[in-house]
Amino acid sequence: MGRERSGRPSAAALFMAGRIGLMLAGIAVMALGIDVVVRAQLGNSPISACPNVLSIAFPAVSFGSFMLAWQCFLVLVQVALLRSQFRLVDLLQIPISVFFGLCIDFFVTALGDTAPASYFHSWLWLAVGMAVLAAGIVMTVVSGTVMNCGEAVVQAVVRKTGARFGTIKVCFDLVCAALALGCAFAFTGHLAGVREGTVVCAVFTGMIVNVYMGLYGKLRGRLSPLRARRRDAKQAEMTPVTEP
């Protein structure tokens, strides 16, 4: 099943493997973007702001572990939003969240002690981190498989409202930033892990996602006629020629 007679994987199986690979790569890219934003020292990205604040307040627990707990909470939010429309396959977000948390802790270690040399460089780090994070988000969405929990919550709201993904992403990020602000005051007594960069990420990450999605749509539109011509040519080669 799923294999051709020669024993090689079928085209459908290879296509699905490619989609899963794209999704996992997107998760890893998102983790890298989040860690770069953290290193900017201007606050964290909204999607990970609460876990970051909690990891500062409780340093015995890693950033990735708090991220895993946060992602599981977001799965519960999806269940509450979608109810009967929530698919069992979406529970795969939980093992994906484990992978996400491991990637975050890996990149924290890989980045070592690197840090921006000035306030100006902090903003450059933040810009790069947002661009990388948005790219990872688009990769998971485009893969058409199980999305990361944060983006899945946004997609759930989109399904309910019909609004643009990037627009709901901005609103979701603002809510996450507000929750992180409350956690910072509750557990540390000050704005630990929440700064001006958190607000900037909340406002602009979704916009960058919209730009990337627009570019992807244009690229897909240009490639569609080429794929159609290749498909027609292949079908023509496979069609037996009947003699008059």
Side-chain angles (χ1 to χ4, degrees):
M1 298 297 291
R3 291 177 176 271
E4 297 175 351
R5 292 183 179 179
S6 63
R8 296 179 181 179
S10 66
L14 290 173
F15 180 69
M16 178 56 67
R19 289 171 60 184
I20 293 173
L22 178 61
M23 179 269 293
L24 293 176
I27 295 295
V29 171
M30 286 178 60
L32 175 60
I34 286 172
D35 286 336
V36 171
V37 170
V38 171
R39 290 305 173 93
Q41 300 177 356
L42 294 174
N44 205 348
S45 61
I47 184 62
S48 56
C50 283
N52 184 46
V53 168
L54 292 174
S55 68
I56 294 172
F58 306 99
V61 182
S62 72
F63 181 18
S65 297
F66 274 120
M67 177 61 75
L68 173 58
W70 170 247
Q71 298 273 299
C72 291
F73 168 74
L74 293 179
V75 172
L76 296 178
V77 172
Q78 293 172 58
V79 173
L81 285 172
L82 297 175
R83 298 184 182 181
S84 61
Q85 295 178 344
F86 183 83
R87 304 171 302 171
L88 289 178
V89 69
D90 290 329
L91 290 176
L92 290 174
Q93 292 173 52
I94 295 177
I96 290 173
S97 297
V98 174
F99 176 69
F100 190 34
L102 291 173
C103 287
I104 285 177
D105 284 344
F106 169 78
F107 286 120
V108 165
T109 303
L111 289 173
D113 296 328
T114 55
S118 65
Y119 187 67
F120 172 74
H121 286 99
S122 291
W123 283 105
L124 291 179
W125 276 66
L126 183 70
V128 171
M130 287 192 299
V132 173
L133 174 59
I137 292 171
V138 171
M139 290 168 70
T140 61
V141 173
V142 168
S143 72
T145 56
V146 180
M147 291 189 293
N148 185 41
C149 297
E151 281 56 64
V153 169
V154 175
Q155 187 65 32
V157 177
V158 169
R159 288 172 60 184
K160 288 293 184 179
T161 64
R164 293 181 66 188
F165 183 92
T167 302
I168 299 299
K169 173 66 177 171
V170 171
C171 297
F172 175 72
D173 284 350
L174 290 173
V175 171
C176 289
L179 289 174
L181 188 64
C183 288
F185 279 115
F187 296 111
T188 69
H190 62 282
L191 293 177
V194 182
R195 288 185 52 181
E196 58 271 33
T198 304
V199 178
V200 171
C201 282
V203 173
F204 288 101
T205 301
M207 295 182 182
I208 298 174
V209 168
N210 276 343
V211 172
Y212 285 166
M213 291 297 286
L215 292 174
Y216 169 73
K218 291 180 179 179
L219 178 62
R220 187 174 182 180
R222 291 179 180 178
L223 292 177
S224 293
L226 178 61
R227 290 175 179 172
R229 287 195 295 269
R230 288 179 177 176
R231 184 175 61 251
D232 293 342
K234 187 175 181 180
Q235 290 177 349
E237 291 176 358
M238 296 175 64
T239 302
V241 178
T242 58
E243 302 228 355

